[in-house]
Amino acid sequence: MNAIDQAIVWLNDPLNWTNPGGILDRLGEHLWISFAAVAIGCLVAWPIGLWLGHTGRGGGAVVLISNVTLAIPTVALLTILPLTPLGFGRPPVILALAVFAVPPLLANAYTGVREIDPEARDAARGMGLSGRQLLTRVELALAVPYLATGFRTASVQVVATAALASFVNGGGLGQIISAGFGLGMSVGGGQILAGALLVALLALGIEGLLALLERALTPRPLRRPRRVRRRPATA
Amino acid sequence: MSSRQWVLWSVQYADAPGNPWFSWQYLRDNSDTVLSALVEHVTLTTQAVALAAAVGLPLAVLAYWFRPLTGPILALSGVLYTIPSLALLAFVAPLVGTTRPASVLIALVLYALLLIVRNALAGLNQLPAEVLDAARGMGYGRVARLFRVDLPLAVPAILTGLRLATVSTVALVTVGSLIGYGGLGDLILGGFRNNFYKAEILTGTVLCVALGLLLDLLLAGAGRLLTPWTRGARG
């Protein structure tokens, strides 16, 4: 029996879904870790990104942060954080993933505000809005398409990266793959493939879902076909 | 040992004295291991980026020449990029085998491919129309124009893609340590499993980040040498 047949058999076994530590448990963990990480990322990155965009400073720093985080291996961060005073368990894993959610959120929030037509900003100022009102009433609203793009990129990235939490027993769907590798290729081959399928489907599903959601939530006049770049390429 | 006991015990152990974050002693005693991990890391990275460039650049040229191909090529590489690295490794490993570094290499190439194709294509599509008209007027055919005009002018964009691909590949190699071919990732995870040996973890991490930044600088320097005209224009 080859690995693909084994995977089908493994996925067909209802016990593998409902057992403690089965697929449904792992899926719940995966989604919860990802949700918490993205939420923390938004709380940190959006205010900073919007403020930097508003003042027009810090563009270089935003690019630098995005590039340096590319060079940090996720595995290293997941391994190091539990050894700090944070201790073991879920918090260090969530924090490590939040670190990887920040750059796309920050960069898109910054660009979103910077890309606003200066005339719209001037008009708002002419109407007597203060700097704070300008940011909350005009710039924030006009930056929504970019914020949505950043949110989508960050979410998909975090859901994909959360699979690596299994390296430090952090739970999530990656745990199924790791367990399979632990059993060895001849016994665990099917489980490895099945886990890979589940993780890949989850990432693609989240990507598709958020794409639809983004489209539905963007006000019609702001929907620009293809002008918003999904992953800002910087170097 | 229950998992709670394990956590308590491990926290105690991680905080025990004699486990510093950095130690010359460790480096001296294990220079062979560290060096071979570094060599493996560099080998995997350069092989993956070179293969991805060898496949990605012709793909970008194809998409540039035949516009209908642009959508499918970008969509395919986009879907590949959404699939989590761990899942991709788990797809490849049972089919290729875990006793060879080829499994890690294939996963790495697929990731680097997207960044290279996307950036090269963007560079080729943004060439100024006047320049292309001039080249046509001088009697260049399609192929001659590609090598004498199009590609040299797109070098900055192609290089951006190569740099992004290199830095993220350096970080991604570590995931391969799940099947024992992770270069410096083997040190990071090895230290984690080896009673949370901080010096080993940090050595792996620091070398990994330093390698990423060094390769990035090298490519940036190569880019300066390849495009002497951009310096003249600026300065």
Side-chain angles (χ1 to χ4, degrees), chain B residues 107-121:
Chain B
L108 290 175
V109 168
L110 289 174
Y111 271 101
L113 201 59
L114 166 81
L115 292 167
I116 289 175
V117 171
R118 188 170 280 241
N119 279 285
L121 191 58

Side-chain angles (χ1 to χ4, degrees), chain B residues 150-168:
Chain B
D150 297 358
L151 282 180
L153 282 180
V155 161
I158 295 173
L159 225 89
T160 304
L162 275 180
R163 286 172 63 183
L164 285 172
T166 308
V167 175
S168 59

Side-chain angles (χ1 to χ4, degrees), chain A residues 191-207:
Chain A
Q191 189 180 337
I192 295 169
L193 267 188
L197 197 70
L198 290 169
V199 174
L201 280 180
L202 182 68
L204 291 173
I206 296 276
E207 163 94 353

Side-chain angles (χ1 to χ4, degrees), chain A residues 32-174:
Chain A
W32 165 242
I33 294 174
S34 308
F35 170 78
V38 174
I40 293 175
C42 289
L43 281 178
V44 174
W46 276 350
I48 298 177
L50 290 171
W51 177 251
L52 287 178
H54 177 69
T55 56
R57 274 174 289 168
V62 170
V63 173
L64 189 77
I65 292 174
S66 321
N67 286 335
V68 170
T69 45
L70 259 187
I72 305 173
T74 322
V75 175
L77 209 54
L78 282 169
T79 318
I80 287 175
L81 283 181
L83 300 182
T84 61
L86 270 176
F88 288 78
R90 201 119 312 161
V93 171
I94 291 174
L95 195 68
L97 293 174
V99 168
F100 288 95
V102 164
L105 291 168
L106 187 67
N108 277 293
Y110 179 80
T111 342
V113 177
R114 290 317 307 158
E115 292 280 293
I116 291 169
D117 194 345
E119 285 175 14
R121 209 175 276 144
D122 285 347
R125 283 217 185 274
M127 286 169 69
L129 265 62
S130 69
R132 192 185 181 78
Q133 286 170 324
L134 175 69
L135 178 61
T136 51
R137 292 206 200 150
V138 180
E139 290 176 327
L140 182 61
L142 287 174
V144 161
Y146 280 88
L147 293 180
T149 305
F151 182 80
R152 190 171 132 199
T153 311
S155 304
V156 175
Q157 212 167 297
V158 165
V159 167
T161 317
L164 296 177
S166 59
F167 275 116
V168 293
N169 279 324
L173 285 172

Side-chain angles (χ1 to χ4, degrees), chain B:
Chain B
M1 204 183 322
S2 79
S3 72
R4 186 166 170 75
Q5 274 174 322
W6 182 81
V7 166
L8 284 174
W9 169 81
S10 54
V11 169
Q12 233 171 14
Y13 205 97
D15 290 339
N19 187 9
W21 278 109
F22 183 79
S23 130
W24 284 113
Q25 185 69 36
Y26 164 77
L27 266 184
R28 265 198 301 276
D29 293 350
N30 297 279
S31 51
D32 290 346
T33 324
V34 174
L35 202 65
S36 69
L38 185 63
V39 168
E40 187 178 271
H41 208 107
V42 174
T43 315
L44 278 172
T45 306
T46 43
Q47 280 175 339
V49 175
L51 273 174
V55 177
L57 287 179
L59 270 182
V61 169
L62 269 183
Y64 169 60
W65 275 350
F66 309 105
R67 289 299 155 94
L69 286 177
T70 308
I73 287 180
L74 280 186
L76 185 69
S77 47
V79 167
L80 279 178
Y81 202 73
T82 307
I83 294 176
S85 50
L86 184 65
L88 202 55
L89 183 65
F91 275 130
V92 176
L95 304 177
V96 180
T98 50
T99 48
R100 287 180 297 156
S103 299
V104 183
L105 198 57
I106 291 172
L108 290 175
V109 168
L110 289 174
Y111 271 101
L113 201 59
L114 166 81
L115 292 167
I116 289 175
V117 171
R118 188 170 280 241
N119 279 285
L121 191 58
L124 287 170
N125 278 334
Q126 277 165 11
L127 297 179
E130 304 87 29
V131 174
L132 301 185
D133 281 347
R136 212 171 291 136
M138 287 169 73
Y140 280 126
R142 191 182 242 188
V143 176
R145 200 189 82 187
L146 179 72
F147 285 105
R148 302 250 179 107
V149 181
D150 297 358
L151 282 180
L153 282 180
V155 161
I158 295 173
L159 225 89
T160 304
L162 275 180
R163 286 172 63 183
L164 285 172
T166 308
V167 175
S168 59
T169 303
V170 168
L172 265 180
V173 168
T174 53
V175 176
S177 52
L178 190 61
I179 63 167
Y181 292 97
L184 296 165
D186 293 347
L187 294 186
I188 298 172
L189 272 189
F192 191 76
R193 290 186 186 133
N194 195 7
N195 287 330
F196 315 102
Y197 191 3
K198 290 175 179 170
E200 191 177 3
I201 297 172
L202 198 72
T203 305
T205 308
V206 168
L207 282 177
C208 205
V209 175
L211 180 66
L213 296 179
L214 177 75
L215 290 178
D216 193 46
L217 276 179
L218 281 180
L219 281 173
R224 264 177 81 84
L225 291 178
L226 279 174
T227 56
W229 60 88
T230 53
R231 264 172 292 158
R234 264 190 222 134

